[in-house]
Amino acid sequence: MANTAQTILTLTGRKPKSKCFFIGEGPNTEYWYLESLAVRLAKMNAPELIELRPVERTGNERNQSAPKKLLEQARLIRGNADMFGFDPETDRIVVFFDADVYKGDSERYASDLGMFSGVAEVAVTNPSFELYLLLHLDDALEEYVLPNEKEILGNGYVGGKRRYVEKLASDVLGFNVKHNEKVGELARRFGVAVMNERALNQDPSQSIGRLTSNVGARIMEIMHTGASSEESYLGLRRRLGVEDELA
């Protein structure tokens, strides 16, 4: 008997969309941003062949942000087809997490990173997702990131319980990025972040001790594989303002 996907293809002549689940480390900031970005891209009909599904972390999962906990959630999605509708033949999972917790422990980081193989792809920021948020500003690299590289990598506490890069991002962007849903509005400048991100390390395996973000690159790769054609993908890049790396 034909499976559901085959049946839909036979009746409509169109292949149903595959799914890409996004699991963010934080219950607020990452989800607000990724949900807003997914909605914006959907309105642009992008990517045509993949549905982006940010996962809202609720209940006991809200405050369990360690990478191993995110790995557990990825395994849950893969293993519970009735709840999540995950199809291992077509669907993907991307886990977004910070490398700051591994500061000075590259061996543990490499070991934990390896556990995601075959379960989920990773989008890593070092020290944290707030660094990626800063990249949405045109002058982020010259004005805020590179001049403060040492302080950002150190990411010590300032003014009480706030980490350096979180306070920097909040001050520069004009709102508390941990507690304000306005963080979702930054998705409108996704293309700027993708371009700025290229000045940082984008290889998750080389994150320790280096300013790192492959968030934009990972999402662009998903949109590339999920485009209906190369022409469609290039058109999307133009609309987002993402230039060829070799240009």
Side-chain angles (χ1 to χ4, degrees):
M1 180 180 294
N3 61 29
T4 302
Q6 290 172 328
T7 301
I8 293 174
L9 179 59
T10 301
L11 294 175
T12 67
R14 295 181 60 190
K15 181 180 178 181
K17 283 189 176 184
S18 59
K19 299 175 289 294
C20 183
F21 295 87
F22 287 162
I23 305 175
E25 178 173 300
N28 294 327
T29 306
E30 287 89 338
Y31 178 75
W32 288 332
Y33 178 85
L34 294 169
E35 176 68 10
S36 179
L37 179 62
V39 169
R40 179 172 182 266
L41 291 171
K43 291 179 179 178
M44 300 171 69
N45 192 32
E48 297 101 323
L49 306 180
I50 298 178
E51 177 187 352
L52 305 181
R53 289 193 180 183
V55 177
E56 186 171 13
R57 305 180 67 231
T58 60
N60 293 334
E61 297 293 332
R62 280 186 61 82
N63 297 313
Q64 298 188 23
S65 61
K68 286 185 178 181
K69 291 296 182 180
L70 303 182
L71 178 63
E72 289 178 11
Q73 189 162 13
R75 286 174 172 156
L76 175 64
I77 291 173
R78 294 183 68 90
N80 196 331
D82 290 339
M83 179 179 296
F84 296 99
F86 184 87
D87 184 342
E89 296 296 323
T90 60
D91 297 346
R92 306 167 65 169
I93 301 173
V94 178
V95 171
F96 299 76
F97 69 89
D98 302 337
D100 195 40
V101 295
Y102 296 98
K103 192 181 302 179
D105 195 346
S106 56
E107 290 187 6
R108 183 167 68 95
Y109 173 73
S111 175
D112 285 3
L113 195 63
M115 292 191 298
F116 284 93
S117 178
V119 180
E121 301 161 64
V122 297
V124 175
T125 43
N126 189 30
S128 65
F129 195 74
E130 287 79 17
L131 171 62
Y132 171 71
L133 296 181
L134 273 173
L135 299 179
H136 290 71
L137 300 176
D138 292 313
D139 57 353
L141 293 169
E142 298 80 5
E143 293 293 325
Y144 308 111
V145 176
L146 298 180
N148 298 301
E149 180 174 0
K150 182 178 179 181
E151 291 80 5
I152 291 174
L153 276 173
N155 205 28
Y157 287 102
V158 293
K161 299 182 178 180
R162 302 179 73 184
R163 291 285 190 176
Y164 180 88
V165 71
E166 182 262 311
K167 185 176 185 304
L168 176 64
S170 296
D171 289 347
V172 171
L173 294 170
F175 58 89
N176 190 314
V177 296
K178 289 288 191 184
H179 302 289
N180 196 319
E181 291 187 42
K182 285 182 66 176
V183 72
E185 297 178 8
L186 293 174
R188 294 179 299 177
R189 299 179 58 80
F190 172 70
V192 176
V194 171
M195 296 297 292
N196 280 333
E197 188 184 69
R198 293 173 179 173
L200 308 182
N201 171 55
Q202 293 187 290
D203 180 354
S205 70
Q206 303 297 317
S207 295
I208 302 304
R210 303 174 68 183
L211 293 179
T212 298
S213 176
N214 73 320
V215 173
R218 179 69 71 193
I219 294 172
M220 288 300 297
E221 185 271 329
I222 291 167
M223 289 195 287
H224 194 181
T225 59
S228 59
S229 67
E230 190 67 17
E231 182 180 2
S232 173
Y233 175 64
L234 293 175
L236 175 63
R237 285 170 61 106
R238 286 192 293 269
R239 285 185 285 165
L240 293 173
V242 176
E243 301 173 5
D244 192 313
E245 279 193 89
L246 299 179

